[in-house]
Amino acid sequence: IRAFGEVARKYPNSRLVLVGSGDFDQFIPLAYPISTKVTFTGKLEKEDLEDWYNIADIGILPSLHEQSGFTAIEMRFHKIPLIVSSVDGLDEMFIHGHDALKLSVQLDKEGKKKLDAVELAEYMGRLLKDRDFAKQLAANGHKVAFENFTAEKMQQEYLKVLETMA
């Protein structure tokens, strides 16, 4: 939310929509100066999520832990330019500057993973300012999705894994 605050000052018509379930109470106070520009949807039904995908200018997956990238795959199929964390589960799926912008993951003093809000704000601003670059990332991501992440392709890959276990 802090990163979006910087972006909202430069792009006053922008909005941040946080989709999904979770404990957002800790984030609500951070939204104070820009709270009218922040929406917390909670968990959505597929049809409602599709509506949000269809109007999104940028998709952001600021995960510190990611077991699978299904949300990223969905956004790729919707031609949304992405910003993702460089964590296991996402890092292997993207090439920085080709099909997404990848956020570096750092460790704080206690050894906990964290993301750099300045870097995130920079990436959001870049995609909002340079729409041609954003469209190219989205097009590249869409191509990768069709080459690697259709239901048929994923089924084939799962079957290969299962065959190695037999």
Side-chain angles (χ1 to χ4, degrees):
I1 292 179
R2 278 190 210 120
F4 177 70
E6 295 298 316
V7 172
R9 283 189 266 291
K10 291 180 183 173
Y11 299 91
N13 292 329
S14 60
R15 295 196 50 81
L16 176 65
V17 179
L18 299 166
V19 177
S21 57
D23 182 13
F24 293 122
D25 290 345
Q26 63 182 321
F27 300 109
I28 293 171
L30 298 174
Y32 167 65
I34 53 166
S35 58
T36 60
K37 295 180 170 288
V38 179
T39 302
F40 297 92
T41 68
K43 187 174 181 177
L44 297 175
E45 296 295 323
K46 183 175 177 149
E47 296 79 26
D48 296 326
L49 183 59
E50 294 281 328
D51 291 340
W52 285 108
Y53 283 158
N54 289 331
I55 63 170
D57 290 318
I58 301 171
I60 304 170
L61 290 163
S63 302
L64 295 176
H65 307 281
E66 189 68 42
Q67 293 182 359
S68 67
F70 289 119
T71 301
I73 293 168
E74 286 178 346
M75 286 195 265
R76 279 178 158 172
F77 278 111
H78 283 85
K79 298 182 182 176
I80 300 171
L82 297 175
I83 300 170
V84 300
S85 305
S86 292
V87 294
D88 290 344
L90 292 175
D91 198 33
E92 303 82 8
M93 291 176 61
F94 295 94
I95 299 170
H96 180 74
H98 175 72
D99 57 355
L101 292 176
K102 292 181 7 179
L103 295 165
S104 56
V105 178
Q106 303 158 359
L107 298 177
D108 65 13
K109 295 174 192 172
E110 299 168 359
K112 293 181 183 177
K113 292 179 183 177
K114 68 175 189 168
L115 301 174
D116 183 352
V118 173
E119 182 182 42
L120 177 54
E122 176 187 313
Y123 288 172
M124 285 189 282
R126 181 175 181 195
L127 293 178
L128 290 172
K129 182 178 180 180
D130 189 347
R131 297 306 299 157
D132 289 335
F133 177 63
K135 287 178 185 176
Q136 188 61 52
L137 285 181
N140 292 342
H142 190 252
K143 182 180 178 190
V144 169
F146 270 103
E147 289 173 352
N148 300 296
F149 298 111
T150 62
E152 182 180 301
K153 290 269 187 182
M154 292 177 75
Q155 180 184 23
Q156 290 170 359
E157 292 303 314
Y158 284 129
L159 288 174
K160 286 180 188 176
V161 170
L162 292 174
E163 287 172 2
T164 65
M165 299 171 77

